[in-house]
Amino acid sequence: MKTVAYYRRSTNIQEHSLAMQEHKAYNKAIQEGLIIDEEYKDDAISGKSRIDDRRALKHLIEEIEQNKIKNLLVYKRDRLTRDAIQYIKLYRLFRDKNVNVIFTSDDEPPIQNSPVGELIEILLAAMVEREGQQIVERIKASIESDFLAGKNPGTLPFGYSVDRDNGNTIRQNEDEVELIRAMYRLAIEGKTIREISTYAREKWPQRKWTGTSVRKLLQNPTYVGIRFLNIRGLPQLKQEYSQLAIIEDDDWHKVQELLEQSPTKKRAPLPQAEFLLNNLLYCKPCKQLLVGLGRRRGQAISHFYKCSSCNQRIEKKAVEDFVIESSLIYVKSLFLTHYPKLLERYRFRNYTTFKIRLTQLERQLSKVTRQLNYNTQDYLFGEMEPKERMAVEDKLLTIYDKIVDLKKSKEKVEAEIASLNELPEKSKEL
C-alpha cells in the first residue's frame, strides 16, 4: 500500500502555494519515516467545487476505494474541500478504509476516528466552510475596491487589450477602434442592425458578427468611458474610466435612442437567485443531480430545482425551507442532548494525556539540565588535555540543543492544555 500526498490551490496568487505544500509534505514524510510514492495535484481549483470536477482528488478517492492507500499527507482540511458535507464523506471514507491522514501544517489538529472524533470533525468542517465564505467576501471586497479606485475595469470588450508585459496597462487597438467608430456612424445615419452586421463582417471577417453581438457592442457604455461591475450579492457598481472613451457622449446617447426605437428589443434578464442546495439534491428515480433554474412566464418568474434526466422539478423555496428547518432541528437536538457530554469526555481524555506528557518532559528537562551543570563545572574547573576539552565542548553543545528541543516540546504541550481549557468557552460561541 502506498504513501501519497495531495495538494490543491485555488488561484495563482494563493498563500498556500503548491510549492509550499510540497515542501511541507516532504518535511513531514521525513519526520514520520515515510517515502511519498505518488502525488496528486489540483491546480486553480476551488475548494467548493464538486469532487467529480477535480481530476486529482477523484483519482485519489478511486485509489482509496481500491485499498491502495495507507498514508495520506495533506496540508490542511481545507485543501481537501471547503464544503462541509463533502468533507464528512471524505472523513468517513478515510476511516472505513483505514487511511492514516497526516496533516503537514503545524497548527492543524489531527483526525480522530471515534464517535467523539466524528463530532469534532463535523464542527471543524463547518468552521472551514465558513472560513471559505469569508475568503470569498474578502475577494469581493478587493475587486470592488480596485474597480472603484480605477485600477481594474474588469474584462474589456472588442477594441481593447491588456499589455501584460507593461504593468497590465490598457491599450486601444487602433484598427478595432476605427471599426467601432464606423459602426456608430452607420447607426447614426439610420442603418439597420443587419446592415451594420454585414459591414462589420466585411471589414473584420475573423470575428463572428451577429445582430445580437452588434447590438450589444452599440449599447456598451465602455466606449464612452463608463464601466459597470456586477458581483453576486452586491448592488451593481458604476465607475468612470475616461481612458477607455472612444465615442463622443452625444453620439453614444443618440445611438441608444435609435436602438430603443428598433422593433427588436431584448427581454430583461431573469433576476439572479442563489440556489442553496446546488450539487446536494438528487432525483430519487434517476439518481441524477438536480440543477437550480429559473423560468419566466409573462410577468411571473419562478425558480426551481430540475432533474436533467427525467425533468422532474421541485419548487426552490419549499425544499430550501424544509432542509433549513430540518437541519436546525437536528443541530439543536445534537447540542442539547449529546454535545456537552461528548465535549467534556474529549477534553478530559486529552487533558490527561497532555498532563502525563508534560510531566515526562519536565523530568527529562530537569535531568538534562543537571547534566549540563555537571559538565559545565567539569569544563570550567577540571584539569584535562586539549582533546578532552574539545570533546566536552561538543558534549555541552549537544546537551544545550536537547534542552532547547525539550523546552519547545514543553511549550507546545502547555499550549495544547491551555487550548483544552478554553474549549468549553469556545464551544459556546459555536
Side-chain angles (χ1 to χ4, degrees):
M1 297 177 73
K2 297 185 294 186
T3 293
V4 301
Y6 175 78
Y7 320 119
R8 181 190 66 80
R9 67 171 175 175
S10 297
T11 67
N12 292 331
I13 58 173
Q14 190 175 45
E15 176 187 357
H16 300 152
S17 67
L18 294 183
M20 182 278 289
Q21 294 177 52
E22 291 179 27
H23 177 73
K24 286 283 190 179
Y26 293 150
N27 285 346
K28 196 69 173 180
I30 292 172
Q31 292 175 16
E32 299 290 334
L34 301 171
I35 297 176
I36 298 176
D37 300 303
E38 191 171 350
E39 296 172 302
Y40 301 82
K41 299 179 183 180
D42 278 323
D43 196 5
I45 298 291
S46 168
K48 292 287 290 182
S49 60
R50 297 188 310 125
I51 290 175
D52 287 343
D53 296 332
R54 295 162 63 180
R55 181 186 57 80
L57 182 59
K58 185 179 179 181
H59 183 207
L60 172 61
I61 291 173
E62 291 171 353
E63 295 276 272
I64 292 174
E65 290 174 341
Q66 296 171 19
N67 297 312
K68 295 181 178 180
I69 307 298
K70 182 178 181 181
N71 301 299
L72 169 62
L73 291 100
V74 62
Y75 183 65
K76 285 186 174 184
R77 288 170 174 81
D78 63 10
R79 296 303 88 197
L80 294 167
T81 180
R82 286 192 180 276
D83 183 281
I85 293 178
Q86 288 190 47
Y87 176 76
I88 294 305
K89 289 180 179 178
L90 289 173
Y91 164 79
R92 290 171 179 166
L93 174 65
F94 299 152
R95 180 192 62 194
D96 295 342
K97 294 297 182 177
N98 294 318
V99 176
N100 179 31
V101 180
I102 303 170
F103 295 117
T104 62
S105 173
D106 296 332
D107 58 357
E108 190 73 354
I111 284 181
Q112 297 192 38
N113 294 319
S114 65
V116 177
E118 181 165 352
L119 176 60
I120 298 297
E121 292 300 317
I122 291 173
L123 295 174
L124 289 173
M127 294 169 66
V128 166
E129 181 168 326
R130 176 57 183 161
E131 181 188 7
Q133 294 169 352
Q134 291 173 339
I135 289 173
V136 171
E137 293 303 319
R138 288 197 293 269
I139 292 173
K140 286 182 179 180
S142 176
I143 294 172
E144 178 182 1
S145 175
D146 287 347
F147 177 81
L148 294 177
K151 297 178 181 179
N152 181 12
T155 303
L156 295 170
F158 181 75
Y160 309 93
S161 61
V162 178
D163 190 348
R164 304 292 182 189
D165 298 327
N166 191 23
N168 289 334
T169 55
I170 299 169
R171 183 177 60 197
Q172 295 182 7
N173 302 323
E174 293 183 7
D175 293 341
E176 296 177 8
V177 168
E178 185 55 39
L179 174 59
I180 294 167
R181 287 172 174 157
M183 293 169 70
Y184 271 86
R185 285 195 298 268
L186 291 172
I188 292 173
E189 292 170 5
K191 301 296 183 183
T192 65
I193 293 293
R194 179 176 293 182
E195 289 171 329
I196 298 173
S197 301
T198 301
Y199 174 84
R201 282 193 290 270
E202 292 173 355
K203 294 294 184 180
W204 205 274
Q206 60 268 42
R207 182 181 176 88
K208 185 177 180 180
W209 296 101
T210 64
T212 300
S213 65
V214 169
R215 180 179 288 273
K216 285 183 177 179
L217 182 147
L218 294 173
Q219 291 176 327
N220 198 324
T222 303
Y223 300 123
V224 286
I226 299 296
R227 292 290 291 166
F228 290 91
L229 178 66
N230 293 301
I231 302 177
R232 180 178 294 181
L234 295 176
Q236 187 183 60
L237 302 174
K238 178 182 177 181
Q239 182 63 25
E240 181 178 353
Y241 281 77
S242 57
Q243 71 270 31
L244 300 179
I246 60 174
I247 302 296
E248 293 295 331
D249 192 68
D250 290 343
D251 290 344
W252 188 85
H253 282 94
K254 190 179 296 183
V255 170
Q256 305 317 303
E257 292 175 4
L258 293 170
L259 291 175
E260 284 291 327
Q261 299 168 9
S262 174
T264 55
K265 192 173 179 180
K266 184 181 175 183
R267 296 179 68 186
L270 285 172
Q272 290 185 349
E274 186 175 2
F275 291 89
L276 302 178
L277 302 177
N278 253 351
N279 302 323
L280 296 176
L281 296 178
Y282 285 84
C283 176
K284 188 173 182 180
C286 309
K287 311 299 183 186
Q288 297 294 318
L289 273 171
L290 300 184
V291 180
L293 297 171
R295 183 180 64 181
R296 184 200 309 273
R297 282 189 174 178
Q299 297 299 318
I301 297 173
S302 60
H303 294 94
F304 48 85
Y305 293 91
K306 181 180 177 182
C307 175
S308 58
S309 178
C310 70
N311 293 325
Q312 291 285 339
R313 64 181 65 183
I314 183 170
E315 199 265 326
K316 173 183 178 295
K317 186 176 186 304
V319 67
E320 289 180 354
D321 287 349
F322 173 77
V323 170
I324 291 172
E325 184 179 354
S326 301
S327 300
L328 287 173
I329 292 172
Y330 171 74
V331 171
K332 287 180 180 178
S333 173
L334 185 67
F335 271 77
L336 291 173
T337 55
H338 302 294
Y339 179 72
K341 291 181 180 178
L342 292 173
L343 182 64
E344 182 57 30
R345 188 186 306 171
Y346 165 82
R347 194 181 73 86
F348 176 76
R349 184 178 62 184
N350 286 277
Y351 182 83
T352 303
T353 301
F354 283 127
K355 286 295 287 185
I356 293 173
R357 177 59 179 157
L358 182 61
T359 301
Q360 293 172 343
L361 288 170
E362 288 174 342
R363 289 175 179 172
Q364 293 177 29
L365 188 59
S366 176
K367 180 179 178 181
V368 175
T369 302
R370 289 196 300 270
Q371 292 177 358
L372 179 65
N373 294 336
Y374 174 79
N375 284 275
T376 300
Q377 291 179 4
D378 193 27
Y379 177 80
L380 293 174
F381 306 113
E383 296 182 1
M384 58 187 73
E385 298 293 328
K387 288 185 177 179
E388 293 177 322
R389 185 169 293 278
M390 290 180 62
V392 173
E393 287 178 356
D394 291 339
K395 189 175 182 180
L396 285 171
L397 290 172
T398 301
I399 294 173
Y400 179 77
D401 289 340
K402 190 171 183 180
I403 288 175
V404 171
D405 291 340
L406 286 171
K407 285 184 176 179
K408 288 182 179 179
S409 298
K410 182 173 176 287
E411 288 174 359
K412 287 184 178 180
V413 172
E414 288 173 340
E416 292 288 353
I417 292 174
S419 178
L420 286 172
N421 289 332
E422 295 171 359
L423 194 57
E425 289 300 320
K426 288 185 178 180
S427 67
K428 293 178 183 179
E429 297 176 3
L430 296 173

